Amino acid sequence: MSAHQALPELASVPWRQPTDARWLRRWARIWHAWTLLYTVPFICAGVGMIWLEPLATPVALAALAHAWIIPELYAFRGASVVRPKRPRADEGLGTAATFPGEPVAQGLLGDLLGHEERELQRDTGLALQHGELGVWLLGEGGALLVSPGGGRVHCFCVGTVDRELPPSDRIAHLLLALRVDEEGFATVANHAFAGAPWRVARRLPRRMRPALDAARRAAG
């Protein structure tokens, strides 16, 4: 990649290793190992307590619950990167009421997307973009990356400098940055989680789940 194609924001994180396909595979294995590290001891403890002393079943169930809850909390953190970033005081108001420039921004974003991607974004709030690293879903302040084959989802927290931009403008900025330098985009973003699509889908708002399904089909 030539220098003029690199994102300027890369200069702010010179210590980071470029996020390429090899980096993503390594981090997927690390997240998988962490999940096993958190869950297997609790499962073994729970099963062992029931086997040794049936009266300890309530405590064993608590240990098994921890084995389930801890990975779910990490998945929730990952899925949260694409949740709407409206101010809390404006919850309950429509997007257009909270951000008066949103209708125009939505139209401009639509011009950057194909027909199917445009409809998907309007329905789910997430913009689908094919890349060399996989299939991306871009939200207001983050992105999901479905790896080739659809078996793994990486969650990235990344946003625009101007927090007052309408949501569609934020997505458009991220989309353009991704198209300019996909590897640089992933390097600048903060990697929040990597896991199975079903685990991430459970923690997404219901409205956004069809976008993840579409991205998995596209990556498969």
Side-chain angles (χ1 to χ4, degrees):
M1 178 180 296
S2 59
H4 74 275
Q5 292 177 304
L7 291 178
E9 290 82 0
L10 282 172
S12 65
V13 287
W15 62 88
R16 290 189 179 178
Q17 180 181 348
T19 302
D20 54 14
R22 182 179 178 182
W23 188 97
L24 291 170
R25 287 194 297 269
R26 183 172 70 251
W27 268 100
R29 290 193 294 267
I30 290 173
W31 273 102
H32 183 66
W34 283 349
T35 300
L36 293 177
L37 181 64
Y38 287 128
T39 58
V40 170
F42 282 113
I43 293 174
C44 292
V47 173
M49 282 188 286
I50 294 175
W51 182 64
L52 293 172
E53 177 53 73
L55 293 177
T57 296
V59 179
L61 292 178
L64 294 175
H66 276 77
W68 175 259
I69 292 172
I70 292 176
E72 288 293 296
L73 290 175
Y74 279 108
F76 178 80
R77 185 182 74 170
S80 294
V81 302
V82 292
R83 289 176 177 271
K85 301 300 188 289
R86 298 189 189 94
R88 185 173 297 274
D90 293 326
E91 289 180 358
L93 297 177
T95 303
T98 307
F99 299 97
E102 174 61 16
V104 175
Q106 178 72 64
L108 295 175
L109 174 60
D111 291 339
L112 298 174
L113 301 171
H115 176 71
E116 293 183 3
E117 290 79 8
R118 185 185 307 118
E119 292 300 319
L120 183 68
Q121 193 278 323
R122 288 177 177 172
D123 291 340
T124 66
L126 299 177
L128 186 148
Q129 174 67 34
H130 292 264
E132 294 183 2
L133 299 177
V135 179
W136 292 85
L137 291 171
L138 302 173
E140 300 175 27
L144 305 180
L145 172 62
V146 181
S147 298
R152 187 70 58 180
V153 178
H154 294 269
C155 306
F156 293 89
C157 181
V158 59
T160 57
V161 175
D162 189 351
R163 300 291 183 179
E164 301 302 320
L165 288 174
S168 293
D169 265 347
R170 300 181 200 176
I171 297 174
H173 277 69
L174 298 181
L175 178 61
L176 292 173
L178 175 62
R179 289 178 176 178
V180 167
D181 181 5
E182 180 183 11
E183 187 176 300
F185 178 89
T187 302
V188 171
N190 295 312
H191 191 272
F193 178 74
W198 66 266
R199 195 178 290 280
V200 176
R202 284 169 48 85
R203 294 304 172 182
L204 283 175
R206 189 175 300 275
R207 175 195 178 201
M208 293 181 171
R209 293 174 189 175
L212 182 55
D213 292 337
R216 290 189 66 193
R217 290 193 297 270

